[in-house]
Amino acid sequence: MAAVEKHDFEPTIDWSKGAAWQDGEFVPASEAKLSVFDWGFTRSDVTYDVVHVWKGQFFRLEDHLDRFAHSVEGLRMELPVSRDGLADILHGCVARSGLQDSYVAMVLTRGIPDPTWPKRLPSNFKGRNRLICYAIPFVWIMKPEIQETGARMITAQAPRIAPDSVDPTIKNYHWGDFTNALFEVEDQDADYAVLFGADGFVAECPGSNIFAVLDGVVTSPTHGALEGITRKAVHDLCEMMGLPHAQRDISRQELLDADEIFMASTAGGVMPIRQINERMLSNGSPGPISRKVHAEYWKKHDEGWHATPVNYDR
């Protein structure tokens, strides 16, 4: 079925702060609603994905759609639209907003259960999943001016949720561990935190993957973390630039002794770290490899690498 009907944008509506799609229609982002009885709210029974638009082009849209489909299947949910229909909705949200740089989300909740439905069989809860999509102005989780100087990171005491309990490869809103780590960030007047798994190895940061440059090798954790699209982009860039790179377990001590550290996220790109705990990295500034990868990441954006132009004429 067609996910989106073409029609003239309502001239009286201000779409500049973002546009959303729910229940088959577009509304201003501020009007998107979720029932307090939806399991996405009451049980965090929800998955989502975020793709960004930069200078009027989606970045690695197909990769994000693939990951979202993986998450939906992993939670035994069903999308009410086809893959092409979903892409059409995302284009529609951005087109209505008119935004050239945008944070674009797709969210699927379990929905509101039928009171007579057997609660012991959540996997059979089909056909009522709720899809909400929206496009809002681009979100920087690390402002560009901080990226220039590098951020201060701490190692969190809060451990990452065990992957056997919540699969980190399924993008989710189970942020209890991340929130506790952010409280530690606030208490220590830092910028960001990195969490470790119960096995003692590096996992990820709240909303970001982490990279450590170890003896010249750009390295990211091999498990216990989201399979980030920007993380994938960094490894691709390293391959293109001839930089040694790897995915493997990283111990706490290796991270603390790293030559360089940076984070990677859709909402921020490649984000250098200048200090971890009390140790300064690269004389208290972003390291040379971090700077090189950061610059190449945005250069490739300008060149249209993995870009899908937004259909604003719809």
Side-chain angles (χ1 to χ4, degrees), residues 84-276:
D84 287 344
L86 176 58
D88 197 31
I89 289 169
L90 300 180
H91 277 274
C93 288
V94 181
R96 275 163 177 74
S97 72
L99 294 166
Q100 293 293 305
D101 304 326
S102 181
Y103 175 103
V104 187
M106 55 203 98
V107 183
L108 189 68
T109 75
R110 186 70 66 184
I112 301 174
D114 182 334
T116 64
W117 173 73
K119 293 185 177 180
R120 68 182 181 277
L121 296 173
S123 64
N124 290 336
F125 187 17
K126 302 288 187 181
R128 302 183 182 88
N129 303 153
R130 184 109 185 274
L131 175 66
I132 299 175
C133 301
Y134 60 86
I136 58 175
F138 187 82
V139 175
W140 292 98
I141 62 172
M142 183 190 290
K143 295 179 180 179
E145 54 267 32
I146 298 179
Q147 295 190 25
E148 283 298 314
T149 61
R152 183 189 167 207
M153 175 176 283
I154 61 169
T155 54
Q157 295 299 309
R160 185 73 175 100
I161 293 175
D164 290 340
S165 297
V166 177
D167 184 350
T169 68
I170 295 176
K171 203 164 173 66
N172 62 72
Y173 288 141
H174 293 272
W175 266 58
D177 51 351
F178 285 157
T179 300
N180 285 334
L182 291 173
F183 286 147
E184 295 180 45
V185 168
E186 183 178 10
D187 291 342
Q188 298 187 44
D189 194 28
D191 297 308
Y192 296 95
V194 57
L195 286 78
F196 297 82
D199 56 9
F201 291 111
V202 175
E204 56 188 335
C205 307
S208 300
N209 290 118
I210 187 167
F211 285 81
V213 179
L214 306 173
D215 295 325
V217 180
V218 178
T219 310
S220 67
T222 191
H223 73 278
L226 180 71
E227 294 176 352
I229 305 303
T230 310
R231 170 177 173 264
K232 180 179 181 180
V234 167
H235 283 290
D236 288 349
L237 288 171
C238 287
E239 189 70 23
M240 294 165 63
M241 293 187 291
L243 293 174
H245 62 103
Q247 297 179 36
R248 66 169 178 82
D249 291 337
I250 302 172
S251 72
R252 178 184 296 267
Q253 195 58 51
E254 281 184 306
L255 183 69
L256 293 175
D257 293 339
D259 303 327
E260 302 178 35
I261 298 171
F262 60 87
M263 304 190 306
S265 172
T266 293
V270 176
M271 300 167 285
I273 302 300
R274 62 176 171 80
Q275 179 179 350
I276 183 164

